């Protein structure tokens, strides 16, 4: 059987309804061994929740009451649906449910990578689920996420690890490899980032940041809003300059020469002083003897 899980308020479900009804008539006229179902997920919320239905409409094949992967994502036309069910029913004989690729709901999710160009003013970016062909149920969505890498500014240069102090390295990417889990519906995670530009050795610019993380739960009319991971950032007008003290070889030689010259001058002064005192003592002794 193939089912269409829908919600009456879903625009995409309303557009699909006439096609789905005509598709059912076509299947019955060709006597294909498959049942066509339509499940109202508002009236049968528990059933849809048990099947982990998160977007509407969801078109899914079942064999012996076991959901098969993947869901149908091709053209929502009668011909497209007919081609799909014929492919599914052509090998039905002799197959057992265990031979099919059963859906693994626990592995659902997505991986996001890329970069954003942002102005040097406070702002935010939001990561949430959105589709041009589905409506999603906010109550079934979860915005839990893992941040593998998040930083402001360019990639590290070859001088970074040798020039940057350890405390700066810890503050460049403080959210890396951290997991943020929301365990209830209608929950949004917001990361507040304070970003400070840092000039390293007056040659390269990096951005240190501090992060505070907060969870907000929608209530009342806000429950229609979709859970998200929100990153709110504020670039500080204050900059940090990090310099490393050090001398070149010629500065070292000049410094050593100055020290040696100073010691030579001091020894000369002491030698003259001792010579003058000794001469005076000798003169006084000769005077007394006379």
């Amino acid at each position: 059987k193939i089912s269409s899980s829908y919600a009456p308020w879903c625009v995409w479900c309303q557009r699909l309804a006439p096609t789905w009804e005509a598709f059912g008539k076509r299947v019955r006229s060709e006597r294909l061994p498959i049942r066509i179902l339509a499940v109202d997920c508002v009236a049968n919320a528990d059933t849809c929740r048990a099947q982990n239905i998160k977007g509407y409409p969801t078109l899914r094949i079942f064999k012996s009451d076991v959901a098969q992967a993947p869901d149908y994502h091709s053209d929502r036309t009668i011909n497209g649906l007919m081609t799909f069910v014929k492919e599914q029913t052509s090998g039905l004989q002799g197959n057992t449910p265990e031979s099919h690729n059963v859906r693994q709901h626990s592995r659902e999710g997505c991986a996001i990578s890329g970069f954003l160009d942002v102005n040097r003013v406070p702002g935010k970016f939001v990561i949430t689920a959105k589709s041009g062909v589905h409506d999603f149920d906010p109550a079934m969505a979860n915005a839990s996420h893992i941040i593998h890498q998040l930083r402001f500014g360019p990639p590290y240069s070859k001088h970074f690890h040798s020039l940057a102090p350890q405390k700066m390295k810890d503050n460049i990417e403080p959210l890396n490899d951290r997991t943020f889990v929301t365990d209830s519906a209608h929950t949004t995670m917001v990361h507040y980032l304070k970003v400070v530009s840092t000039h390293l050795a007056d040659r390269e610019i990096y951005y240190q940041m501090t992060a505070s993380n907060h969870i907000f739960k929608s209530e009342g009319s806000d429950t229609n809003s979709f859970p998200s991971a929100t990153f709110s950032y504020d670039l500080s007008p204050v900059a940090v300059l990090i310099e490393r003290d050090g001398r070149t070889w010629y500065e070292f030689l000049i410094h050593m020469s100055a020290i040696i010259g100073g010691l030579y001058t001091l020894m000369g002064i002491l030698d003259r002083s001792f010579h003058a005192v000794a001469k005076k003592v000798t003169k006084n002794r000769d005077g007394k003897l006379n």
Side-chain angles (χ1 to χ4, degrees):
K1 60 187 176 183
I2 181 171
S3 71
S4 170
S5 300
Y6 70 95
W9 47 262
C10 169
V11 174
W12 305 105
C13 300
Q14 295 168 10
R15 294 179 180 179
L16 176 65
T19 301
W20 192 254
E21 183 177 354
F23 164 62
K25 293 179 180 179
R26 178 84 171 269
V27 168
R28 289 190 292 273
S29 67
E30 296 191 15
R31 299 182 181 278
L32 295 178
I34 190 168
R35 296 170 58 196
I36 310 300
L37 305 177
V39 180
D40 184 345
C41 286
V42 174
N44 302 279
D46 292 339
T47 300
C48 293
R49 191 175 297 111
Q51 289 297 324
N52 203 28
I53 303 296
K54 296 180 179 179
Y56 307 119
T58 294
L59 308 182
R60 182 174 296 172
I61 283 282
F62 290 84
K63 294 181 180 180
S64 300
D65 293 328
V66 177
Q68 306 297 300
D71 291 337
Y72 180 77
H73 295 296
S74 298
D75 294 338
R76 293 175 184 170
T77 61
I78 297 176
N79 290 335
L81 290 166
M82 288 298 296
T83 300
F84 177 68
V85 296
K86 287 179 180 180
E87 291 174 352
Q88 294 293 320
T89 57
S90 61
L92 190 60
Q93 300 297 326
N95 286 332
T96 62
E98 290 75 17
S99 66
H100 295 285
N101 180 18
V102 180
R103 296 175 58 84
Q104 298 294 328
H105 297 304
S106 62
R107 297 181 181 273
E108 290 186 352
C110 57
I112 301 174
S113 63
F115 65 91
L116 299 173
D117 291 325
V118 299
N119 296 322
R120 294 179 60 86
V121 295
K124 68 178 180 180
F125 58 92
V126 180
I127 298 175
T128 188
K130 191 174 181 63
S131 172
V133 293
H134 288 86
D135 282 334
F136 293 103
D137 184 354
M140 291 298 293
N142 189 299
S144 298
H145 54 279
I146 301 174
I147 301 175
H148 295 289
Q149 185 180 53
L150 175 66
R151 76 162 176 264
F152 285 76
Y156 302 133
S157 73
K158 61 181 180 181
H159 307 291
F160 174 78
H161 292 287
S162 61
L163 295 177
Q166 185 59 46
K167 188 173 182 179
M168 175 183 171
K169 296 177 183 177
D170 295 338
N171 290 332
I172 292 290
E173 300 172 342
L175 293 178
N176 281 12
D177 299 320
R178 293 185 58 183
T179 301
F180 300 91
V181 177
T182 58
D183 54 6
S184 59
H186 307 294
T187 303
T188 291
M189 174 70 70
V190 181
H191 306 279
Y192 294 99
L193 309 175
K194 186 68 174 181
V195 184
V196 181
S197 60
T198 304
H199 300 252
L200 183 59
D202 203 25
R203 293 189 300 176
E204 301 166 354
I205 299 179
Y206 295 95
Y207 293 88
Q208 299 185 79
M209 62 180 171
T210 58
S212 59
N213 313 293
H214 301 275
I215 294 177
F216 296 95
K217 186 174 178 61
S218 301
E219 297 180 356
S221 60
D222 288 340
T223 56
N224 292 325
S225 61
F226 208 81
S228 64
T230 300
F231 298 82
S232 178
Y233 57 87
D234 181 14
L235 279 80
S236 172
V238 178
V240 175
L241 174 61
I242 298 178
E243 293 181 331
R244 169 171 287 189
D245 291 334
R247 292 186 175 91
T248 60
W249 63 271
Y250 57 84
E251 291 177 324
F252 175 75
L253 289 179
I254 293 173
H255 184 68
M256 290 301 297
S257 299
I259 293 175
I260 294 172
L263 289 174
Y264 181 79
T265 302
L266 179 62
M267 292 299 295
I269 293 172
L270 292 175
D271 181 65
R272 288 193 296 272
S273 298
F274 286 135
H275 181 72
V277 171
K279 185 177 180 180
K280 187 174 182 180
V281 170
T282 302
K283 185 177 181 181
N284 289 341
R285 184 187 303 164
D286 291 343
K288 291 180 180 180
L289 293 176
N290 294 331

